[in-house]
Amino acid sequence: MAAKASQPSLPPWGNALAGATGAVLANALVYPLDIVKTRLQVQIKRKPDDLIPLTVDRVHYASTMDALSKIIDDEGITGLYSGINGALIGVASTNFAYFYWYSVVRTLYLSTQTLPKPPTTAIELSLGAVAGAVAQVFTIPVSVVTTRQQTQPKVERKGLLDTGREVVNSEDGWTGLWRGLKASLVLVVNPAITYGAYQRLKELIYPGKTHLRPFEAFFLGALSKSIATIVTQPLIVAKVGLQSRPPPARHGKPFKSFVEVMQFIIENEGPLALFKGLVPQITKGVLVQGLLMMTKERMEILFIVLFAHLRRLRSAKLQQAATAAAEKAKHVLPMISK
């Protein structure tokens, strides 16, 4: 117990840096899936009698593999990494903000407790939701710009700053950088659904089992994440629709709310279209979640070792300064006494 209590810990910004680093690595590895799911979510199936195309991209994708194939054929391998700079900046900033505010909020909560005890599951989920909401407020502009970049036609592709100017110069002005904020705030319930589903499935599939094997935990994690994604997918699709360029059928008029996006999709494609892009969304979510937690733990260990080394260097320098000051004092004091 004593050894555990003396284990070095990271400051809030150290936890944030470890989380952001892990998230960037995880998302970089699965970024092509992010491109595919975004393209699938913004496209609207064109009916034979439609005179105006309903989607920005004239290419229609039938499935995840079809999208991967067509993007490579039309844009090359680099097409699968369109907008990756902005996306990784967004991932880094969002996760840094999340892990930072989570550490701060959790520390503040624990400081208010008269008896030192770990927070309950409900409290942990609430703290995570608060941290997620605060992080979204600060970082959603990068998400808006990245979504625009991912859905831009090849001939109109722009850089991060130019795309940001396009958003600001649109009908919404500066507030356009916060499009989809309400949907993003609602989507902070996704981790709560994931954790709740995990606990329930654990009781149903492995009743009475306290410790799970790694593959059993991964299976439950993947299943619970899939359930959470299915439940929140309509909001995810609506958020992407809000943040992307309005389809030609709306004559440049942007959507005002995620409810309006849902209505437009249902009218043109039917209610099942609210779940388009579900396969790459789930695949990406499961892979990123697993990779994130794996790399975050490694990063935390790395930063703990790094901070311990920096502390030792600082202590050594302070000791040298103290020794030098003591030596100087030895020479000065006899002169004063004389």
Side-chain angles (χ1 to χ4, degrees), residues 140-141 144-145 148 161-180 242-243 246 252-256:
I140 198 171
V144 172
V145 174
R148 285 289 183 96
L161 294 178
D162 288 336
T163 305
R165 291 191 192 98
E166 179 186 282
V167 175
V168 173
N169 293 332
S170 65
E171 180 181 318
D172 293 329
W174 284 98
T175 59
L177 292 172
W178 278 267
R179 290 184 66 81
L242 271 172
Q243 294 178 342
K253 182 182 178 183
F255 294 106
K256 295 297 183 184

Side-chain angles (χ1 to χ4, degrees), residues 101-118:
W101 286 110
Y102 178 76
S103 297
V104 171
V105 170
R106 195 175 191 277
T107 302
L108 288 174
Y109 170 79
L110 292 175
S111 67
T112 62
Q113 302 301 299
T114 53
L115 295 175
K117 59 180 181 179

Side-chain angles (χ1 to χ4, degrees), residues 220-284:
L220 284 184
L223 195 56
S224 57
K225 184 64 178 179
S226 299
I227 292 171
T229 302
I230 291 170
V231 171
T232 56
Q233 183 69 4
L235 270 178
I236 294 172
V237 173
K239 175 189 170 185
V240 172
L242 271 172
Q243 294 178 342
S244 61
R245 187 185 299 179
R250 289 182 61 84
H251 305 288
K253 182 182 178 183
F255 294 106
K256 295 297 183 184
S257 66
F258 57 84
V259 174
E260 189 179 3
V261 178
M262 291 181 180
Q263 290 174 340
F264 182 82
I265 292 172
I266 292 172
E267 288 172 3
N268 291 279
E269 298 182 88
L272 289 179
L274 293 174
F275 296 88
K276 56 190 174 182
L278 185 62
V279 172
Q281 184 81 49
I282 289 176
T283 307
K284 179 203 168 192

Side-chain angles (χ1 to χ4, degrees), residues 179-229:
R179 290 184 66 81
L181 178 60
K182 291 180 181 178
S184 297
L185 293 179
V186 175
L187 284 171
V188 298
V189 303
N190 192 292
I193 298 173
T194 302
Y195 187 84
Y198 183 92
Q199 294 300 323
R200 178 60 61 187
L201 290 170
K202 181 180 177 182
E203 295 170 4
L204 292 174
I205 300 175
Y206 304 109
K209 196 167 185 178
T210 307
H211 301 289
L212 299 180
R213 298 174 183 176
F215 75 89
E216 291 173 339
F218 181 84
F219 169 71
L220 284 184
L223 195 56
S224 57
K225 184 64 178 179
S226 299
I227 292 171
T229 302

Side-chain angles (χ1 to χ4, degrees), residues 50-63:
D50 286 333
L51 299 177
I52 303 175
L54 295 175
T55 184
V56 174
D57 199 336
R58 295 180 181 275
V59 180
H60 177 73
Y61 308 113
S63 64

